Amino acid sequence: MGILEGKRLLVTGVLTDASIAFSVARLAQEEGATIVLTGFGRLSLVERIARRLPEPPPVIELDVQNTDHLDSLADRVGEHLDGLDGVVHSIGFAPQSCLGGNFLNTPWEDVATAVHISTYSFKSLAVACLPLMKEGGAVVGLDFDATRAWPVYDWMGVAKAGLESCARYLARDLGPHGIRVNLVAAGPLRTMAAKSIPGFKEFEDSWPEKAPLGWDLADTVPAAKACLALMSDWFPATTGEIVHVDGGVHAIGA
Ligand SMILES: NC(=O)c1ccc[n+]([C@@H]2O[C@H](COP(=O)([O-])OP(=O)(O)OC[C@H]3O[C@@H](n4cnc5c(N)ncnc54)[C@H](O)[C@@H]3O)[C@@H](O)[C@H]2O)c1
């Protein structure tokens, strides 16, 4: 029996097979879950990637900035699943001006876009899925440790600090519905989102050295496994938590 046997999950954020969400989807199926994916932008691309999963799942469209998409999400997921036990938020975006050392000059409009897509959408997605979570469940999001100012991460770091706070407020308000809300703070991974960060190489060079356990920049499985564990029945009393999957870097002085 897999740890997600019988669970019904919505997984956002599959873009390529390097996406963290791709490993989440693959391992979730291997662990017995039935999944539906959401895709953003060119759905044919996401569908092509989805065919590489053990059982190609349905893909439905979701732009978290589109209120029609959010308002209709429960109905559209409901065409495939009779409820949800877990939701994975693996979504992040910031315009180029938000990243790479331009912190003092980034215009508000670009910061607003980053916060809308990377922070506020955690709440939007959870609330959109609420009608399908009548028996409780788990919501998990992907974080990058926001307790310090990193090189080049800039306004995305601010958006992630907001995500961490958002997770705590969601945990407060969804707890009475039996829904747990947690984050996985992953170390740097070579995905499309990471490649769009100018200066990402700084993380690539230093992280494996700093991590007591070492760190593989190309391996999304550890982060995905933590997401699965948090959606399983093995964290029944944990909410508002951030689980670091970073090789241990967060615990070590520079
Ligand atoms: N790669 C890393 O180093 C790293 C480390 C820690 C946390 N994370 C976080 O993991 C999550 C997934 O990113 P990833 O690294 O797998 O990269 P990725 O590029 O594969 O995934 C990012 C996803 O966000 C989606 N997205 C962007 N704008 C959207 C919108 N308006 N509506 C819906 N979806 C939208 C993209 O389609 C894509 O699927 C993000 O929250 C990211 O910040 C990444």
Side-chain angles (χ1 to χ4, degrees):
M1 267 247 308
I3 63 163
L4 293 177
E5 205 63 50
K7 301 269 189 221
R8 303 154 297 175
L9 310 181
L10 184 67
V11 180
T12 67
V14 171
L15 179 60
T16 69
D17 56 6
S19 296
I20 298 169
F22 183 83
S23 282
V24 172
R26 180 175 65 76
L27 291 166
Q29 287 189 334
E30 286 172 12
E31 291 296 326
T34 307
I35 66 170
V36 169
L37 300 184
T38 71
F40 167 64
R42 283 207 290 155
L43 278 204
S44 56
L45 221 78
V46 181
E47 280 159 359
R48 182 153 18 111
I49 299 294
R51 284 199 284 275
R52 296 184 197 166
L53 290 167
E55 276 178 52
V59 180
I60 61 179
E61 190 177 15
L62 177 64
D63 173 354
V64 291
Q65 290 193 294
N66 183 322
T67 40
D68 291 340
H69 287 184
L70 288 162
D71 290 346
S72 61
L73 186 68
D75 285 343
R76 291 183 294 131
V77 174
E79 288 170 17
H80 304 283
L81 299 172
D82 57 3
L84 280 174
D85 305 295
V87 177
V88 180
H89 179 284
S90 190
I91 293 170
F93 174 78
Q96 281 294 296
S97 72
C98 289
L99 299 154
N102 190 41
F103 190 80
L104 298 182
N105 301 310
T106 311
W108 162 242
E109 293 69 30
D110 289 351
V111 173
T113 300
V115 169
H116 192 175
I117 297 176
S118 312
T119 309
Y120 184 76
S121 71
F122 195 46
K123 190 278 311 179
S124 315
L125 178 68
V127 169
C129 292
L130 209 49
L132 292 170
M133 301 184 80
K134 296 217 157 52
E135 296 143 45
V139 180
V140 177
L142 271 304
D143 183 28
F144 189 73
D145 182 9
T147 57
R148 63 200 75 188
W150 298 102
V152 307
Y153 203 53
D154 296 5
W155 285 101
M156 195 63 191
V158 178
K160 287 301 189 192
L163 180 72
E164 293 181 356
S165 180
C166 181
R168 290 187 281 269
Y169 280 98
L170 276 179
R172 180 194 69 182
D173 288 356
L174 297 183
H177 297 262
I179 297 171
R180 297 173 287 112
V181 182
N182 294 291
L183 295 176
V184 171
L189 293 160
R190 279 195 200 114
T191 62
M192 284 295 265
K195 283 182 194 155
S196 72
I197 302 174
F200 183 73
K201 202 171 175 318
E202 285 200 40
F203 291 113
E204 294 198 326
D205 292 342
S206 61
W207 211 276
E209 266 173 39
K210 279 196 239 159
L213 291 174
W215 183 251
D216 182 349
L217 294 141
D219 186 6
T220 52
V221 166
K225 280 185 170 172
C227 293
L228 262 56
L230 287 166
M231 285 187 296
S232 77
D233 294 332
W234 289 91
F235 277 99
T238 299
T239 195
E241 188 59 273
I242 301 172
V243 177
H244 293 84
V245 180
D246 62 352
V249 168
H250 74 283
I252 302 300

